Amino acid sequence: MAEDNNTPQAGAQADDKTQLKFSLQRIYVKDISFEAPNSPSVFQDAFKPKVNLDLNTSSKKIADDQYEVVVKVTAQVNDKETGTTSFLAEVEQAGLFRISGIEGAQLDQTLGAFCPNLLFPYARECVDNLVNRGGFPPLMLAPVNFEAMYAQRKQREKQQADQAEANTH
């Protein structure tokens, strides 16, 4: 007369699974800087830019389920022939994200790749605007694959950990 019932009841199943929640709360500029140290003389010659681009991301937990992610873009443009600095533009584009139900490596990847992918178009537009307001042609930054950057960073971290472990033996 006893029945085998190995499936949990609907209420118990809902309690076991944490519901995944992801939302972008706010996008803002955390820091911004533009320098054209050699103006106005830099405008007298033909513009032959050599662009050095540095791109970094960071994240930190602000409160329970709330994280700040920052994409920092630094663009230094020098004259190809003379090496004279035309301009330096720095933007820290930030976002406040509410994330729950994601933990461990998946949370790390969300903060290190997915969130920066959402923020980068805003940083790119901000850099273009800064450069244009500085009297230079817009600096059209190419799209960035933050998934690939994240994978490369994880690979470097693994190699460093392996090397550190090998040095201790």
Coordinates of all heavy atoms in Angstrom, one line a residue, residues 12-50:
A12 N 8.9 22.3 -1.5 CA 10.3 21.9 -1.1 C 11.2 22.2 -2.3 O 12.4 22.6 -2.1 CB 10.4 20.4 -0.7
Q13 N 10.8 21.9 -3.5 CA 11.6 22.1 -4.6 C 11.9 23.6 -4.8 O 13.0 24.0 -5.1 CB 11.0 21.6 -5.9 CG 11.9 21.5 -7.1 CD 11.2 20.8 -8.3 OE1 10.0 20.7 -8.3 NE2 12.0 20.3 -9.2
A14 N 11.0 24.5 -4.6 CA 11.2 25.9 -4.8 C 12.1 26.4 -3.7 O 12.9 27.3 -4.0 CB 9.8 26.6 -4.6
D15 N 12.1 25.9 -2.5 CA 13.0 26.3 -1.4 C 14.5 25.9 -1.8 O 15.4 26.6 -1.4 CB 12.6 25.7 -0.1 CG 11.3 26.3 0.4 OD1 10.9 27.4 -0.1 OD2 10.7 25.7 1.3
D16 N 14.7 24.7 -2.4 CA 16.0 24.2 -2.7 C 16.7 25.1 -3.8 O 17.9 25.2 -3.7 CB 16.0 22.8 -3.1 CG 15.6 21.8 -2.0 OD1 15.7 22.3 -0.8 OD2 15.3 20.7 -2.2
K17 N 16.0 25.6 -4.7 CA 16.6 26.3 -5.8 C 16.5 27.8 -5.5 O 15.5 28.4 -5.3 CB 15.9 26.1 -7.1 CG 16.2 24.8 -7.7 CD 15.7 24.7 -9.2 CE 16.3 23.5 -9.9 NZ 15.9 23.5 -11.2
T18 N 17.7 28.4 -5.4 CA 17.8 29.9 -5.2 C 17.5 30.5 -6.6 O 18.0 30.1 -7.6 CB 19.2 30.3 -4.8 OG1 19.5 29.6 -3.6 CG2 19.2 31.8 -4.5
Q19 N 16.6 31.5 -6.5 CA 16.2 32.2 -7.8 C 17.3 33.1 -8.2 O 17.8 33.9 -7.5 CB 14.9 32.9 -7.6 CG 14.4 33.4 -8.9 CD 12.9 33.9 -8.7 OE1 12.3 33.8 -7.6 NE2 12.3 34.3 -9.8
L20 N 17.6 33.0 -9.5 CA 18.6 33.9 -10.1 C 18.1 35.3 -10.4 O 17.0 35.4 -10.9 CB 19.1 33.2 -11.4 CG 20.0 34.1 -12.3 CD1 21.4 34.3 -11.6 CD2 20.2 33.4 -13.6
K21 N 18.8 36.3 -9.9 CA 18.3 37.7 -10.1 C 19.5 38.5 -10.6 O 20.6 38.4 -10.0 CB 17.8 38.3 -8.8 CG 16.4 37.7 -8.4 CD 15.9 38.3 -7.2 CE 14.6 37.7 -6.8 NZ 14.1 38.2 -5.5
F22 N 19.3 39.2 -11.6 CA 20.4 40.1 -12.2 C 19.7 41.4 -12.6 O 18.8 41.3 -13.4 CB 21.1 39.4 -13.3 CG 22.2 40.3 -13.9 CD1 23.5 40.3 -13.5 CD2 21.9 41.2 -14.9 CE1 24.5 41.1 -14.0 CE2 22.8 42.0 -15.5 CZ 24.1 42.0 -15.0
S23 N 20.2 42.5 -12.1 CA 19.6 43.8 -12.6 C 20.7 44.9 -12.6 O 21.5 44.9 -11.6 CB 18.4 44.2 -11.9 OG 18.7 44.5 -10.5
L24 N 20.7 45.7 -13.5 CA 21.6 46.9 -13.6 C 20.8 48.0 -12.8 O 19.8 48.4 -13.3 CB 21.9 47.2 -15.0 CG 22.7 48.5 -15.3 CD1 24.0 48.4 -14.6 CD2 22.9 48.7 -16.8
Q25 N 21.4 48.5 -11.8 CA 20.8 49.5 -10.9 C 21.1 50.9 -11.4 O 20.2 51.8 -11.4 CB 21.2 49.4 -9.5 CG 20.9 48.0 -8.9 CD 19.5 47.8 -8.6 OE1 18.8 48.5 -7.9 NE2 18.9 46.8 -9.3
R26 N 22.3 51.1 -11.8 CA 22.8 52.5 -12.2 C 24.0 52.4 -13.0 O 24.9 51.6 -12.7 CB 23.0 53.3 -11.0 CG 23.3 54.7 -11.2 CD 23.3 55.6 -10.0 NE 22.1 55.5 -9.2 CZ 21.1 56.4 -9.3 NH1 21.2 57.4 -10.1 NH2 20.0 56.2 -8.6
I27 N 24.2 53.3 -14.0 CA 25.4 53.5 -14.8 C 25.9 54.9 -14.5 O 25.1 55.8 -14.6 CB 25.2 53.2 -16.3 CG1 24.8 51.8 -16.5 CG2 26.4 53.6 -17.1 CD1 24.4 51.5 -18.0
Y28 N 27.2 55.0 -14.2 CA 27.7 56.4 -13.9 C 29.2 56.4 -14.2 O 29.9 55.4 -14.3 CB 27.4 56.7 -12.4 CG 28.0 55.7 -11.4 CD1 29.2 55.9 -10.8 CD2 27.2 54.5 -11.1 CE1 29.7 54.9 -9.9 CE2 27.7 53.6 -10.2 CZ 28.9 53.8 -9.6 OH 29.4 52.9 -8.7
V29 N 29.7 57.7 -14.4 CA 31.1 57.9 -14.5 C 31.7 58.1 -13.2 O 31.3 59.0 -12.4 CB 31.3 59.2 -15.4 CG1 32.8 59.5 -15.5 CG2 30.8 58.9 -16.8
K30 N 32.6 57.3 -12.8 CA 33.3 57.3 -11.5 C 34.4 58.3 -11.5 O 34.7 59.0 -10.6 CB 33.8 56.0 -11.1 CG 34.2 55.9 -9.7 CD 34.5 54.4 -9.3 CE 34.9 54.3 -7.9 NZ 33.8 54.0 -7.0
D31 N 35.2 58.4 -12.6 CA 36.3 59.3 -12.8 C 36.5 59.6 -14.2 O 36.3 58.7 -15.1 CB 37.6 58.6 -12.2 CG 38.7 59.6 -12.0 OD1 38.5 60.8 -12.1 OD2 39.9 59.2 -11.9
I32 N 36.9 60.8 -14.5 CA 37.1 61.2 -15.9 C 38.2 62.3 -16.0 O 38.3 63.1 -15.1 CB 35.8 61.8 -16.5 CG1 35.9 61.9 -18.0 CG2 35.4 63.1 -15.9 CD1 34.5 62.2 -18.6
S33 N 39.1 62.2 -17.0 CA 40.2 63.1 -17.1 C 40.6 63.2 -18.6 O 40.6 62.3 -19.3 CB 41.4 62.5 -16.3 OG 42.5 63.3 -16.6
F34 N 40.9 64.5 -19.0 CA 41.4 64.7 -20.3 C 42.5 65.7 -20.2 O 42.4 66.8 -19.6 CB 40.3 65.3 -21.2 CG 40.8 65.5 -22.6 CD1 40.8 64.5 -23.5 CD2 41.2 66.8 -23.0 CE1 41.3 64.7 -24.8 CE2 41.7 67.0 -24.3 CZ 41.7 66.0 -25.2
E35 N 43.6 65.4 -20.8 CA 44.8 66.3 -20.9 C 45.3 66.4 -22.3 O 45.4 65.4 -23.0 CB 45.9 65.8 -20.0 CG 45.5 65.6 -18.5 CD 46.6 64.9 -17.7 OE1 47.8 65.1 -18.0 OE2 46.3 64.2 -16.8
A36 N 45.6 67.7 -22.7 CA 46.2 67.9 -24.0 C 47.4 68.8 -23.7 O 47.3 70.1 -23.8 CB 45.3 68.6 -25.0
P37 N 48.5 68.2 -23.1 CA 49.6 69.0 -22.6 C 50.3 69.9 -23.6 O 51.0 70.9 -23.2 CB 50.5 68.0 -22.0 CG 50.2 66.7 -22.7 CD 48.8 66.8 -23.1
N38 N 50.2 69.6 -24.9 CA 51.0 70.3 -25.9 C 50.1 71.2 -26.8 O 50.5 71.5 -27.9 CB 51.8 69.3 -26.7 CG 52.9 68.7 -25.9 OD1 53.7 69.4 -25.3 ND2 52.9 67.4 -25.8
S39 N 48.9 71.5 -26.3 CA 48.1 72.4 -27.1 C 48.5 73.8 -26.8 O 49.0 74.1 -25.7 CB 46.6 72.3 -26.8 OG 46.3 71.4 -25.8
P40 N 48.4 74.7 -27.7 CA 47.8 74.6 -29.0 C 48.8 74.2 -30.1 O 48.3 73.9 -31.3 CB 47.2 76.0 -29.3 CG 48.2 76.9 -28.6 CD 48.6 76.1 -27.4
S41 N 50.0 74.0 -29.8 CA 51.0 73.7 -30.8 C 50.8 72.4 -31.5 O 51.1 72.2 -32.7 CB 52.4 73.7 -30.3 OG 52.6 72.7 -29.3
V42 N 50.1 71.4 -30.8 CA 49.8 70.1 -31.4 C 48.9 70.2 -32.6 O 48.9 69.4 -33.5 CB 49.3 69.2 -30.3 CG1 47.9 69.5 -29.9 CG2 49.4 67.7 -30.8
F43 N 48.1 71.3 -32.6 CA 47.1 71.5 -33.7 C 47.7 72.1 -35.0 O 47.1 72.1 -36.0 CB 46.0 72.4 -33.3 CG 45.2 71.8 -32.1 CD1 45.1 72.5 -30.9 CD2 44.5 70.6 -32.2 CE1 44.4 72.0 -29.9 CE2 43.8 70.1 -31.2 CZ 43.7 70.8 -30.0
Q44 N 49.0 72.5 -34.9 CA 49.6 73.2 -36.1 C 50.1 72.2 -37.1 O 50.3 72.5 -38.2 CB 50.7 74.1 -35.6 CG 50.2 75.3 -34.8 CD 51.2 76.1 -34.1 OE1 52.4 75.7 -34.0 NE2 50.9 77.3 -33.7
D45 N 50.4 71.0 -36.7 CA 51.0 70.0 -37.6 C 49.8 69.0 -38.0 O 48.8 68.9 -37.3 CB 52.1 69.2 -36.9 CG 53.3 70.1 -36.6 OD1 53.6 71.0 -37.4 OD2 53.9 69.9 -35.5
A46 N 50.1 68.2 -39.0 CA 49.1 67.2 -39.4 C 49.0 66.2 -38.3 O 50.0 65.8 -37.7 CB 49.6 66.5 -40.7
F47 N 47.8 65.7 -38.1 CA 47.5 64.7 -37.0 C 47.9 63.3 -37.5 O 47.2 62.8 -38.3 CB 46.1 64.9 -36.6 CG 45.7 64.1 -35.3 CD1 46.3 64.3 -34.1 CD2 44.7 63.1 -35.4 CE1 46.0 63.6 -33.0 CE2 44.4 62.4 -34.2 CZ 45.0 62.7 -33.0
K48 N 49.0 62.8 -36.9 CA 49.4 61.4 -37.2 C 49.5 60.6 -35.9 O 50.5 60.5 -35.3 CB 50.8 61.5 -37.9 CG 50.9 62.2 -39.1 CD 52.3 62.3 -39.7 CE 52.4 63.4 -40.7 NZ 53.4 64.4 -40.4
P49 N 48.3 60.1 -35.5 CA 48.2 59.5 -34.1 C 48.8 58.1 -34.0 O 48.7 57.3 -34.9 CB 46.7 59.5 -33.9 CG 46.1 59.4 -35.2 CD 47.0 60.1 -36.2
K50 N 49.4 57.9 -32.9 CA 49.8 56.5 -32.5 C 49.1 56.3 -31.1 O 49.3 57.1 -30.2 CB 51.3 56.4 -32.2 CG 51.7 55.1 -31.7 CD 53.2 55.0 -31.4 CE 53.5 53.6 -30.8 NZ 54.7 53.7 -30.0

